[in-house]
Amino acid sequence: MIATNKAIVLGSGFAGMAGAALLAKNGLDVTVIEKNTTSGGRGRVFEDQGYRFDMGPSWYWMPDVYEQYYNEFGYTTADFYELKKLDPGFAVIFGQNEVMDIPADFEEICTLFESYETGAAEKLRRFIADGAYKYQVGMGEMVFQPAHSVIEFMKVRLLKDALKLQLLSSFKGHVREYFKDPRLLALMEFPVLFLGALPKNTPAMYSLMNFAGLKQGTFYPMGGFGRVAETFQKIAEEQGVKFKFQTDIHSIQIKDNRVVGLQNINDFYPADILLGTADYAHIERMLLPKSHRSYPTSYWDKRTFAPSALIFYLGINKKLEGLRHHNLFFEESFDQHAHDIYKDPKWPKNPLFYACCPSRTDESVAPAGKENLFLLMPLAIGLADSPSLREEYFEMLMERLEKFAGEPIREFIDYKKSYCINNFINDYNAYKGNAYGLANTLRQTAFLKPKMRSQKVSNLYYAGQLTVPGPGVPPTIISGQIAAKEILKHLN
């Protein structure tokens, strides 16, 4: 046990809280410093007029990752919240209001695929079996590698597994070896949007996401995703972690190539160890002296970042019978919207978007007889963001939503709040307003990501969605654990 080391964790997202709890469990004196008023990072919650809105994550996939983390502290998921499997897991809406409901039962999904394309049922079984293998390996020993260098993956077994995982093959090409129908292709490719890159630039390894979504299923933590953030804070505090909110750090103080503390306007916070889980680029560019940065500004300018997002949090003064819990609106061109994000960054002409209505499953997140509605449109980072643009796209999305629902919605809105690029920058110091972190492209996977350990400062480590394993809640939970274990190895 280590009793004398004072560790500071900068940022209270899932990576920060996971890392903090593990460090405290192993005897460190840990303080989490957070600029916002509550924990959770992008998984924060706000409540207003009887509505409880999850601000970011809403898809609960890979339940075993959460379970593994809770088991580390002697708990199970059921100790904290009821996990409900959704049926349908989600719906995809194509042109002419064609709806593809994705059943909870995998054999029913196979039947659905066969109805779109002869032979697709058996092909799906093979595709998902391949994805299951990738999930077992990719989310097993391999994902817990700190990825300091390629040498970690040169162990005979891991190297063999890496080849089978298709790390260097394109996801787009991999999917097209199995399916031809454009609707099935859209369904299979949508999970990589969570990884922040085009399917052609995403490793085929990420068919493990299809296994998670179609075979494991889509879940919902009753009470909302914010229950997960509350659980992580509770576990951390039980280990002795202290949380300091509304504290905006202005600089990291270095002496003899070591962090000695963090400074804000009024206070100095001494540290023997610093785990940075706030935006990696912000820590490097804005908090560290130039001489102690691992990466120059030009490095971040050349990275492929996941998109930003335009989000609307809406309270609806009636029930909406036509919506599912998760609704993906794919009536427009996926390729064109992707082009407007990655190739020619601009506000999209005909965007795809996502509508989440958690009150269809959980009545506690909205007043009686009302609906809690969350709209999200992926958007290129670094664009101009204004109230007039937000409103223009609000009308566009609502018109399509009302057409699908077959009923008026706008006139029944009794609560409305928007969130976009400027908010991501202001609330999270997110580089150019990105929403999901660094994209998991072929050239930004594993040891090709920004390193977890500073190359210039001996006691500075990083975790979160800009380093390994990547974006998404389960990967960031794992990221915090990896970083904590690396710190403990360093101290021992």
Side-chain angles (χ1 to χ4, degrees), residues 286-313:
M286 307 305 294
L287 303 186
L288 283 172
K290 190 172 183 178
S291 58
H292 289 83
R293 298 171 188 171
S294 297
Y295 304 100
T297 297
S298 59
Y299 172 87
W300 301 106
D301 290 339
K302 294 175 182 176
R303 297 308 95 189
T304 300
F305 276 79
S308 186
L310 171 61
I311 301 171
F312 294 101
Y313 308 100

Side-chain angles (χ1 to χ4, degrees), residues 174-217:
H174 179 58
V175 172
R176 279 159 179 74
E177 291 176 2
Y178 290 82
F179 309 108
K180 296 179 180 178
D181 188 284
R183 293 160 296 186
L184 297 184
L185 293 174
L187 168 63
M188 299 303 282
E189 288 181 344
F190 104 83
V192 304
L193 294 176
F194 295 137
L195 305 171
L198 293 169
K200 70 177 182 180
N201 295 329
T202 300
M205 176 184 76
Y206 289 105
S207 62
L208 64 86
M209 296 281 285
N210 301 105
F211 165 76
L214 299 181
K215 189 66 181 288
Q216 287 185 326

Side-chain angles (χ1 to χ4, degrees), residues 52-60 86 89-91 93 194 218-221 224-225 311-316 320 323-329 353-362 365-366 371-377 401:
R52 177 182 171 92
F53 291 101
D54 290 319
M55 293 187 68
S58 59
W59 292 79
Y60 197 111
L86 301 180
F90 55 95
I93 296 93
F194 295 137
T218 302
F219 296 83
Y220 174 79
F225 214 101
I311 301 171
F312 294 101
Y313 308 100
L314 305 175
I316 312 298
L320 301 173
L323 290 183
R324 284 65 165 169
H325 187 124
H326 296 298
N327 310 265
L328 296 162
F329 285 81
F353 73 101
Y354 160 59
C356 180
C357 191
S359 49
R360 303 297 299 162
T361 302
D362 183 358
V365 299
E371 299 282 27
N372 176 317
L373 187 58
F374 169 100
L375 303 183
L376 183 150
M377 181 188 82
L401 187 69

Side-chain angles (χ1 to χ4, degrees), residues 306-310 337 340-341 346-348 377-381 383 420-421:
S308 186
L310 171 61
H337 191 170
D340 293 343
I341 293 174
K346 60 186 175 185
W347 285 76
M377 181 188 82
L379 186 65
I381 64 171
L383 299 179
C420 198
I421 292 171

Side-chain angles (χ1 to χ4, degrees), residues 161-180:
D161 287 339
L163 294 174
K164 289 183 179 179
L165 289 179
Q166 298 179 284
L167 275 168
L168 301 178
S169 302
S170 159
F171 184 89
K172 181 174 183 176
H174 179 58
V175 172
R176 279 159 179 74
E177 291 176 2
Y178 290 82
F179 309 108
K180 296 179 180 178

